[in-house]
Amino acid sequence: MPPPPPHRPTSTSTPSGKGELAELKTQLRQLAGSRAPGVEDLKRELYKKVISYMTIGIDVSPLFSEMVMCSATSDVVLKKMCYLYVGNYARVHPDLALLTINFLQKDCQDEYPMIRGLALRSLCSLRVQNLVEYLVGPLRSGLKDTHGYVRTVAVLGVLKLYHIAPNACKDNDFPAMLKELIHRDGDSQLHFSFVSGGIQFFYLMNNEHMIYMIKDFSEWAQCLVLEMVAKYVPEDPNETFDIMNLLEDRLQHANSAVVLATIKVFLNLTMSMADVHQQVYERIKAPLMTLVSSGSPEQSYAVLCHLHLLVMRAPVLFSSDYKHFYCRYSDPSYIKKLKLEMLTAVANENNTYEIVTELSEYAANVDVAIARESIRAVGKIALQQYDVNAIVDRLLQFLEMEKDYVTAETLVLVKDLLRKYPQWSQDCIAVVGNVSSKHVQEPKAKAALLWMLGEYALEMPDAPYVLEGFVESWAEEESPEVRLELLTAVAKCFFRRAPETQKILGAALAAALSDAHQDVHDRGLLYYRLLQHGVETAERVINPPKQAVSVFADTQSSEIKDRIFDEFNTLAVVYQQPSYMFLDKEHRGAFEFSDDTSTNASVTESSETMLASQSVDANDNDLLLSASEKEDTRGNLVSNGSSSYVAPSNSLIDGLGSFTVPPAASSLPTASFAIDDLLGLSLSTNSPESTLAQPSLVLNAKPALNPGAFQQKWRQLPVASTEDYGLSSQAAANLTGPQPLLKHMQTHLIHCIASGGQAPNFKFFFFAQKSNASTGLGYFLVECIINVTARKCTVNYKTDESDLLESFAAVFKSAILNFGV
Amino acid sequence: MAGATSALFLLDMKGRVLIWRDYRGDVSSAQVEKFFSKLIEREGDPASHDPVVFDDGVTYMFIQYNNVYILTAARQNCNAASMLLFLHRVVDVFKHYFEELEEESLRDNFVVVYELLDEIMDFGYPQYTEAKILSEFIKTDAYRMEVTQRPPMAVTNAVSWRSEGIRYKKNEVFLDVVESVNILVNSNGQVVRSDVVGALKMRTYLSGMPECKLGLNDRVLLEAQGRATKGKAVDLDDIKFHQCVRLARFENDRTISFIPPDGAFDLMTYRLSTQVKPLIWVEAQVERHSRSRVEYTVKARSQFKERSTATNVEIELPVSSDATTPSVRTSMGSAVYAPEREALLWKIKSFPGGKDYMLRAQFGLPSITAEDSAPEKHPPIRVKFEIPYFTVSGIQVRYLKIIEKSGYQALPWVRYITTAGEYELRMI
């Protein structure tokens, strides 16, 4: 509770109980009928007291009737306090609200426009369903009031009425009245609130009319008009250019919201005109850059988010502006982060050197979180480019800085680089070999180092001995991820340098078999049996020849990106998520109902616009930039096709999108990951059948199913069964990304074909095939939606082998329940 | 259509609600208080958190001002840029009313605050955010007795930023041309970024509804008029105007014409992205002698014409946090060690163009260093200065005409000044 409320002229104690309230009650009552001089001042003090109690959260609703009784006054401030009080308690006490109607209605006819306006506003803000009938009359006269202030309030009042009772609004012909008003009234402030109010009714109608008047609107109203124009579909290119010419000066407005809204109009209007669209990018660059460098950090953040979106869509167009994305020392970290991402995106052959030089300074300078981000950025740039020698040198210099967090981030990156460009192994390995394992503490970095030790055991003379050190401290190693990696690394080292490693491998296997973690134990067992079976077989399984990874999968599909782009200048851009992912259902529908009424208001117009807006949607897909992006992704997928795991193709993603469960409950439906083959657990070889599956159902260790076939099957088959499982808290804690579960399910011979989401919501598509099934049959398809916070997992099964469904479900259930145990 | 805001909150530093105004009835103050207090607790300093946070279906946007958080809560998909700007406007309104916006001033004036919150936003849409206009129908306690019960014309006027009937005995306009230089030099001594952000700041004390017309040495305009442009004209990259300027007019014939608001406002801002030579160049050499002593040699050079003079120059030289026993010598100005800023502040009152000044400083270092000390941050050298009667761009006000129907003569005063904005030179 905050300190005592201000302005308490007489009493010094807070109303500890009913006593104080009762006292206030009697005082108010005495003043109610009084006409003595100075009574207004006394009333004011009392009202203030009541309001200050209300402010600090004390329930003063028992005073309701006294407050209303005292409200017969000509003092505006008293009135305002009274309206505030009434507005606060009316919703909680609808019965009391009825009491106020009378005096509010009376005030709506006051001689002063200020009081008429205020009373009407309060009346409309009561938000009590059963009082709607009392609103209509005052609103109607409000719209016809002689004073602009009252009309303004009335227009917004209509919107408020619409919000609680759309039918009452239509039945009383308010849309028509508003329409008439805008044509008749030359009063710009009225237009202003007409926009904020009336827009809900005819958001497409009249908009040309509005564009011509835009200069008379206040800045906030301009934003709304522009928002409306952005929805408009011009009849021909000439109209598009007319609108753009008319609005071009808005880019010079000092209000960043107006500028952004104008940019949205430009981008939307030129969607189908690829070359003009590109020119728009050029035109809006300067205003955007200016907005970023002026104003408060919060404002530049909002603008940067939008710039970020545009940069991500068309990095090429911004590649010469990279210096604008350099971080200042005093930038808040949320701004630095965005800038780093943009620097990464715009890097190309010409500016890479300078950008990486700049990023290297951040790695040495600013705070740890940003230093890490900048190292990651360097790595990402390295992965994007063809000529990365210079970058590799930089990364290796990072290792020489001997700062723990720098080393850790760099190791992870060097590992990724090696997976993509194995040809640099010599340079990298020479330096990595010098990294003292004592300086590496973070699990991810340790795993990366171990992977390199295993993979390049031949190039690093002391690899077995470093590994030996790790194995000796097996018990102290807390992260199961590292222990798994260690086991694999030792095994791989063994295949390359058997004599030196044999002893360590024995120790590692022994440690793994007695490990408490299920995965580590299982892998130990698997390796042991493989080795028993024959060293060569084991090598083929554990250490098959690897292909360089050509592309690390993007985390967000282009469909999602397009949807975010459609919602330019809203929160969607800031969150980098389409609005359906973060909004409650009831708050999404603003457009639906406005569509609905515009149909009522003007049938012909709306049907035309509906058609038009559909064609816009179609055009969206043909958009130059997104189309080329899509093509890129496809190209990448083809080149990826030869590796053992295939990221699902776009068409699959689109297909999945169409049968997602209601978005609020589900997660990102589309994101996909190429599965890390870090563990060396390649499926491209024949491994012996697992002993883990139940005897009645033996699963194929190497089921072949490409994404297209999966998608087709998923479409054809009905949902055979749906189950809900609760997850253990450990499992939930382990599930920070989709990867751990994928790996875990693989050990149970259930494979993932697509996965996505971010904490707390994840979605997976798994499949498995019974052993010895004829080609194309015996599949089990699973859609699995996990909410980590609720520790809930919803599973939909589909299969063409319904006899075995039960036992498969049992396998799946035990597999998923075992996760994290 | 852009979404509406559900409520506006004024919170104290602990995230407790001081005052709030509900506009749509779909968030509760308890919910907001709970969430925001948690955020403050978790983040330590919420200013480092991005200003847009999502929790349980509600989007919070906030800014901090003094010891107050101003926060909006919304359940709809609203317009982030416009809301964050709106929050800053709200701050401006409160500052106008209470001189300073802080917890105490809000508590002391809570009735006025409620009145303001009622008018600046309705049903979640921003309405009037011009303090001048609001102050005509919402009075503070001091003037409460002369209540106006008539909303001023401006609320319903075509010119929403100015009221009619303003009177001054002496009609005057002050126009400050302020250019701030942003520069970033990397540790190799290369200028990696430089730009100039200019602003025409106006203070008007004019009666009635004056029509103003401003002439600049804008190259586009001068060329269009067929005048000679021998090096005097400037190219302004990206210009932004206050809402009072008739933008269409400027688009057509580059005339800047407007009816100004009363009092202070920014008439226009512009940006020059041309490479600027750093006006003041600073080089620092750091020598570490063994573990106990560190020596700085700093050279500052003014790289502008000799007829100009920089004033109030302050060079902030970062030193390590455990430095002690400073001993400093300078060839000009004075230097003080400011341990709270982990920096040595070298102040030079007057720094004419084309001069070199030196500073030598020596610090003692503790012989034992903490083992788990935080990694060094290496902040850059920062420079502050002002150069009066000088602009980097060479922009000039050619005329400022003021025409009012009563026909009075108004005096325009014009001043030029260049200041350092984000002026950073990274050290090795």
Side-chain angles (χ1 to χ4, degrees):
Chain A
M1 187 97 353
H7 282 281
R8 284 184 297 117
T10 44
S11 133
T12 45
S13 66
T14 46
S16 44
K18 282 177 184 155
E20 186 102 5
L21 277 185
E23 196 185 320
L24 275 172
K25 208 170 195 159
T26 33
Q27 282 175 326
L28 280 169
R29 220 166 250 191
Q30 281 163 2
L31 291 178
S34 161
R35 292 192 186 281
V39 73
E40 301 283 280
D41 288 349
L42 286 173
K43 273 191 194 171
R44 234 186 228 186
E45 289 308 331
L46 282 178
Y47 267 41
K48 264 191 184 174
K49 211 184 214 177
V50 174
I51 297 291
S52 72
Y53 288 157
M54 190 183 92
T55 304
I56 58 173
I58 295 170
D59 183 14
V60 282
S61 61
L63 300 174
F64 204 96
S65 50
E66 284 74 19
M67 288 291 281
V68 174
M69 259 153 59
C70 275
S71 66
T73 168
S74 56
D75 184 318
V76 177
V77 180
L78 260 183
K79 288 267 189 212
K80 280 185 183 170
M81 285 198 268
C82 187
Y83 296 153
L84 181 73
Y85 174 88
V86 168
N88 205 22
Y89 288 112
R91 211 153 41 99
V92 204
H93 306 279
D95 46 328
L96 292 178
L98 200 59
L99 284 175
T100 64
I101 290 286
N102 193 23
F103 100 90
L104 283 176
Q105 272 185 332
K106 214 169 76 204
D107 282 356
C108 283
Q109 287 150 18
D110 200 277
E111 59 177 313
Y112 295 111
M114 194 78 203
I115 292 190
R116 288 204 298 273
L118 288 169
L120 186 57
R121 181 186 294 159
S122 309
L123 192 60
C124 296
S125 304
L126 289 178
R127 284 192 294 267
V128 181
Q129 199 79 36
N130 58 6
L131 298 183
V132 165
E133 54 190 299
Y134 301 103
L135 280 180
V136 177
L139 264 181
R140 200 182 283 272
S141 47
L143 285 174
K144 291 180 184 144
D145 199 281
T146 50
H147 202 283
Y149 182 78
V150 185
R151 290 197 298 273
T152 309
V153 170
V155 172
L156 269 166
V158 174
L159 181 58
K160 290 175 191 165
L161 172 65
Y162 186 82
H163 197 69
I164 45 171
N167 286 330
C169 194
K170 281 181 232 162
D171 295 346
N172 286 289
D173 229 16
F174 280 121
M177 284 180 74
L178 285 179
K179 195 173 169 183
E180 191 197 323
L181 206 59
I182 190 169
H183 284 300
R184 187 173 49 100
D185 207 303
D187 176 342
S188 77
Q189 275 303 322
L190 175 73
H191 283 315
F192 160 45
S193 51
F194 176 84
V195 175
S196 41
I199 195 168
Q200 297 283 1
F201 296 94
F202 336 87
Y203 78 103
L204 275 166
M205 196 194 70
N206 274 324
N207 95 39
E208 200 161 339
H209 184 51
M210 296 244 197
I211 298 178
Y212 285 110
M213 297 189 305
I214 193 166
K215 293 165 180 81
D216 306 328
F217 291 146
S218 84
E219 45 191 344
W220 305 115
Q222 291 189 10
C223 296
L224 295 169
V225 177
L226 290 167
E227 188 67 36
M228 186 162 78
V229 178
K231 292 264 168 290
Y232 178 71
V233 182
E235 279 166 19
D236 54 50
N238 285 336
E239 197 183 356
T240 305
F241 290 120
D242 284 349
I243 295 177
M244 282 172 39
N245 283 331
L246 207 57
L247 294 179
E248 184 159 17
D249 56 18
R250 292 300 114 188
L251 291 175
Q252 271 153 356
H253 203 287
N255 184 321
S256 56
V258 172
V259 177
L260 278 177
T262 312
I263 289 175
K264 178 173 188 174
V265 173
F266 281 26
L267 290 173
N268 278 8
L269 287 179
T270 55
M271 274 296 196
S272 53
M273 299 185 262
D275 47 336
V276 188
H277 196 69
Q278 196 153 340
Q279 283 170 18
V280 167
Y281 271 84
E282 293 294 337
R283 175 67 187 84
I284 61 182
K285 242 194 236 175
L288 275 174
M289 301 289 182
T290 308
L291 286 177
V292 170
S293 58
S294 51
S296 65
E298 292 88 8
Q299 281 158 265
S300 22
Y301 173 71
V303 179
L304 266 177
C305 288
H306 289 85
L307 193 59
H308 179 265
L309 176 78
L310 296 176
V311 167
M312 292 303 163
R313 275 179 86 78
V316 191
L317 297 180
F318 293 88
S319 57
S320 56
D321 303 294
Y322 60 93
K323 285 189 176 169
H324 286 281
F325 309 138
Y326 283 2
C327 300
R328 300 189 179 287
Y329 181 73
S330 50
D331 282 342
S333 53
Y334 53 85
I335 286 190
K336 283 183 178 154
K337 242 183 114 182
L338 279 177
K339 285 187 172 175
L340 286 179
E341 282 176 31
M342 289 192 274
L343 277 176
T344 317
V346 299
N348 66 10
E349 293 82 20
N350 302 322
N351 58 22
T352 297
Y353 183 81
E354 282 174 60
I355 291 182
V356 174
T357 309
E358 179 73 11
L359 287 172
S360 308
E361 297 219 1
Y362 305 151
N365 276 336
V366 276
D367 60 305
V368 176
I370 293 300
R372 283 172 183 273
E373 287 285 345
S374 16
I375 298 169
R376 269 176 234 156
V378 173
K380 271 186 217 152
I381 293 175
L383 290 174
Q384 280 167 17
Q385 302 300 319
Y386 296 100
D387 174 32
V388 289
N389 280 325
I391 302 178
V392 173
D393 286 348
R394 292 285 165 64
L395 282 177
L396 300 181
Q397 278 167 18
F398 289 157
L399 287 181
E400 284 159 10
M401 281 168 55
E402 297 203 335
K403 285 185 182 168
D404 286 358
Y405 59 94
V406 176
T407 312
E409 288 296 335
T410 314
L411 278 176
V412 175
L413 281 173
V414 171
K415 173 211 67 186
D416 282 346
L417 268 181
L418 284 176
R419 291 174 62 205
K420 191 168 175 188
Y421 306 106
Q423 62 268 34
W424 284 308
S425 56
Q426 260 181 334
D427 299 326
C428 297
I429 291 310
V431 182
V432 171
N434 292 335
V435 174
S436 159
S437 51
K438 285 193 197 81
H439 284 148
V440 187
Q441 293 302 329
E442 290 163 42
K444 265 191 146 174
K446 269 191 186 171
L449 179 64
L450 286 168
W451 182 84
M452 286 186 272
L453 285 169
E455 197 63 38
Y456 297 95
L458 286 176
E459 287 86 348
M460 287 195 265
D462 57 350
Y465 309 103
V466 178
L467 286 172
E468 187 173 13
F470 275 106
V471 174
E472 274 165 14
S473 53
W474 182 285
E476 285 112 69
E477 182 52 59
E478 280 169 20
S479 158
E481 187 191 353
V482 175
R483 297 203 299 271
L484 281 171
E485 193 55 55
L486 176 57
L487 184 60
T488 308
V490 172
K492 285 199 278 192
C493 187
F494 170 74
F495 298 125
R496 297 190 165 108
R497 297 167 71 173
E500 292 156 284
T501 323
Q502 195 171 8
K503 224 180 95 194
I504 315 169
L505 180 62
L509 281 174
L513 288 178
S514 54
D515 199 286
H517 194 270
Q518 187 71 43
D519 284 356
V520 183
H521 173 81
D522 287 356
R523 189 181 292 185
L525 205 61
L526 174 70
Y527 282 11
Y528 180 69
R529 295 205 174 139
L530 279 171
L531 288 163
Q532 266 188 330
H533 193 266
V535 175
E536 262 175 49
T537 326
E539 181 167 7
R540 262 191 291 134
V541 176
I542 300 170
N543 190 28
K546 257 173 230 51
Q547 279 196 330
V549 181
S550 57
V551 166
F552 289 91
D554 201 350
T555 46
Q556 218 171 28
S557 78
S558 58
E559 189 214 336
I560 297 238
K561 285 179 187 160
D562 284 349
R563 291 193 76 151
I564 297 174
F565 185 72
D566 290 341
E567 297 184 284
F568 194 84
N569 207 14
T570 67
L571 288 173
V573 178
V574 177
Y575 294 144
Q576 299 180 15
Q577 278 181 354
S579 61
Y580 70 81
M581 289 189 187
F582 60 86
L583 285 188
D584 294 344
K585 209 168 180 182
E586 75 238 55
H587 297 290
R588 259 178 252 149
F591 290 120
E592 278 86 334
F593 71 57
S594 51
D595 251 347
D596 171 39
T597 30
S598 70
T599 319
N600 265 321
S602 48
V603 178
T604 44
E605 265 168 293
S606 68
S607 62
E608 271 169 34
T609 49
M610 297 273 249
L611 276 176
S613 58
Q614 272 163 9
S615 72
V616 160
D617 289 344
N619 283 339
D620 281 0
N621 296 330
D622 297 334
L623 204 204
L624 162 88
L625 297 161
S626 65
S628 64
E629 255 170 36
K630 276 177 191 158
E631 218 147 79
D632 274 348
T633 342
R634 272 192 208 118
N636 298 337
L637 288 166
V638 173
S639 58
N640 215 8
S642 52
S643 65
S644 45
Y645 294 100
V646 184
S649 77
N650 252 346
S651 56
L652 170 72
I653 289 164
D654 294 344
L656 298 182
S658 63
F659 48 70
T660 44
V661 286
S666 89
S667 52
L668 310 173
T670 46
S672 59
F673 293 88
I675 293 163
D676 251 39
D677 199 7
L678 254 191
L679 300 179
L681 249 193
S682 170
L683 291 180
S684 55
T685 46
N686 281 313
S687 55
E689 279 166 14
S690 165
T691 49
L692 295 167
Q694 293 189 351
S696 59
L697 169 74
V698 183
L699 290 176
N700 188 348
K702 186 208 143 202
L705 187 65
N706 66 31
F710 180 93
Q711 192 186 358
Q712 205 185 358
K713 273 198 180 302
W714 185 266
R715 280 227 189 93
Q716 284 165 355
L717 296 170
V719 175
S721 119
T722 302
E723 306 273 3
D724 280 345
Y725 306 133
L727 291 178
S728 69
S729 55
Q730 264 171 308
N734 279 344
L735 202 63
T736 48
Q739 291 303 338
L741 184 64
L742 304 192
K743 288 177 193 159
H744 171 77
M745 296 308 278
Q746 264 172 51
T747 59
H748 293 83
L749 303 179
I750 297 164
H751 303 282
C752 179
I753 196 144
S755 71
Q758 277 168 347
N761 291 309
F762 293 94
K763 182 167 184 166
F764 301 87
F765 284 95
F766 291 105
F767 72 97
Q769 189 185 20
K770 82 168 183 176
S771 162
N772 305 327
S774 47
T775 326
L777 281 174
Y779 283 108
F780 302 93
L781 312 184
V782 185
E783 177 194 45
C784 174
I785 299 158
I786 297 180
N787 183 313
V788 176
T789 23
R791 303 214 318 250
K792 219 185 102 186
C793 160
T794 307
V795 182
N796 289 314
Y797 294 100
K798 293 188 179 188
T799 181
D800 48 14
E801 197 71 61
S802 32
D803 310 352
L804 290 171
L805 178 69
E806 241 181 64
S807 42
F808 174 74
V811 171
F812 189 88
K813 184 179 173 186
S814 78
I816 202 147
L817 293 185
N818 263 328
F819 176 61
V821 176
Chain B
M1 143 162 209
T5 303
S6 300
L8 190 112
F9 290 82
L10 297 160
L11 305 169
D12 71 3
M13 288 313 281
K14 295 225 168 94
R16 289 176 303 209
V17 175
L18 293 169
I19 293 181
W20 74 295
R21 179 74 166 86
D22 172 30
Y23 295 108
R24 296 182 77 97
D26 52 12
V27 292
S28 74
S29 74
Q31 174 188 7
V32 172
E33 194 168 86
K34 200 171 144 209
F35 164 72
F36 204 72
S37 314
K38 251 208 244 149
L39 181 82
I40 293 173
E41 221 170 88
R42 197 176 62 219
E43 294 292 326
D45 176 18
S48 65
H49 197 284
D50 35 316
V52 186
V53 209
F54 182 78
D55 179 67
D56 196 22
V58 183
T59 294
Y60 302 94
M61 288 186 240
F62 67 94
I63 60 172
Q64 186 191 344
Y65 192 88
N66 285 341
N67 54 0
V68 178
Y69 290 107
I70 303 116
L71 172 141
T72 61
R75 282 190 181 273
Q76 299 187 355
N77 187 13
C78 35
N79 182 331
S82 123
M83 283 331 293
L84 288 167
L85 181 65
F86 171 76
L87 289 176
H88 280 277
R89 292 287 169 82
V90 173
V91 171
D92 292 342
V93 169
F94 285 141
K95 262 159 70 182
H96 175 92
Y97 266 84
F98 315 131
E99 307 265 293
E100 204 37 272
L101 166 59
E102 52 196 11
E103 198 184 319
E104 278 311 301
S105 60
L106 289 176
R107 283 188 192 283
D108 290 349
N109 297 288
F110 73 102
V111 176
V112 181
V113 173
Y114 272 126
E115 288 182 58
L116 289 171
L117 293 181
D118 203 32
E119 292 293 345
I120 55 179
M121 194 172 239
D122 195 2
F123 205 45
Y125 300 107
Q127 304 282 321
Y128 314 111
T129 48
E130 301 283 327
K132 278 265 166 192
I133 302 304
L134 286 166
S135 60
E136 283 172 34
F137 64 107
I138 298 175
K139 303 279 182 192
T140 46
D141 277 350
Y143 307 102
R144 180 71 80 195
M145 288 310 139
E146 352 155 347
V147 178
T148 15
Q149 299 197 326
R150 203 165 281 280
M153 285 311 288
V155 172
T156 58
N157 222 342
V159 182
S160 66
W161 54 86
R162 189 181 180 94
S163 294
E164 286 180 24
I166 298 171
R167 285 278 166 270
Y168 286 100
K169 268 191 203 145
K170 196 171 170 191
N171 291 293
E172 282 181 312
V173 182
F174 298 90
L175 179 60
D176 287 349
V177 180
V178 184
E179 289 193 346
S180 71
V181 182
N182 299 320
I183 224 155
L184 183 62
V185 178
N186 72 6
S187 49
N188 304 327
Q190 288 169 315
V191 178
V192 289
R193 240 195 98 178
S194 68
D195 60 11
V196 177
V197 179
L200 268 59
K201 293 179 179 291
M202 250 188 163
R203 274 170 299 144
T204 60
Y205 305 100
L206 296 172
S207 313
M209 285 300 222
E211 264 296 331
C212 299
K213 222 190 234 183
L214 178 74
L216 299 171
N217 58 337
D218 171 15
R219 186 186 303 278
V220 184
L221 175 64
L222 293 181
E223 276 171 5
Q225 293 175 339
R227 295 189 195 211
T229 56
K230 29 186 176 177
K232 273 205 220 147
V234 293
D235 292 303
L236 302 175
D237 258 5
D238 183 47
I239 310 177
K240 298 237 183 300
F241 291 108
H242 186 267
Q243 58 166 328
C244 68
V245 176
R246 298 186 183 91
L247 294 175
R249 194 78 202 273
F250 181 77
E251 271 304 288
N252 282 340
D253 56 9
R254 305 284 279 194
T255 317
I256 303 170
S257 74
F258 54 96
I259 297 175
D262 192 37
F265 68 105
D266 282 6
L267 177 67
M268 87 177 225
T269 59
Y270 55 90
R271 186 171 56 93
L272 291 178
S273 51
T274 45
Q275 189 83 10
V276 187
K277 196 173 174 191
L279 295 167
I280 291 186
W281 182 259
V282 183
E283 275 170 16
Q285 281 189 327
V286 187
E287 271 181 86
R288 278 175 189 273
H289 297 284
S290 70
R291 282 203 156 173
S292 57
R293 200 156 60 84
V294 59
E295 222 175 73
Y296 293 85
T297 314
V298 184
K299 197 164 80 178
R301 190 167 66 235
S302 52
Q303 311 192 105
F304 44 86
K305 295 229 170 71
E306 281 165 34
R307 61 165 184 264
S308 295
T309 299
T311 57
N312 300 324
V313 179
E314 183 186 296
I315 298 169
E316 181 178 340
L317 180 78
V319 295
S320 78
S321 56
D322 49 4
T324 52
T325 55
S327 90
V328 194
R329 272 178 304 143
T330 59
S331 67
M332 179 60 78
S334 63
V336 280
Y337 177 42
E340 73 284 0
R341 283 161 74 179
E342 296 179 8
L344 185 69
L345 302 179
W346 181 14
K347 291 182 183 168
I348 304 167
K349 275 263 149 55
S350 159
F351 198 147
K355 292 265 194 244
D356 272 356
Y357 294 133
M358 297 284 290
L359 172 146
R360 273 176 215 282
Q362 187 179 307
F363 290 89
L365 293 175
S367 48
I368 307 157
T369 49
E371 274 194 9
D372 49 351
S373 60
E376 289 207 38
K377 283 186 187 154
H378 297 290
I381 298 175
R382 275 181 274 198
V383 185
K384 284 184 207 151
F385 58 83
E386 288 171 5
I387 308 177
Y389 318 114
F390 170 82
T391 54
V392 178
S393 64
I395 191 173
Q396 273 179 350
V397 176
R398 289 170 47 235
Y399 59 82
L400 175 60
K401 289 180 194 153
I402 299 139
I403 303 156
E404 216 275 333
K405 57 176 185 283
S406 66
Y408 60 75
Q409 288 291 314
L411 290 173
W413 303 92
V414 184
R415 253 195 333 183
Y416 302 91
I417 192 164
T418 296
T419 64
E422 300 266 355
Y423 202 102
E424 299 180 351
L425 303 103
R426 292 188 191 141
M427 293 181 35
I428 303 149

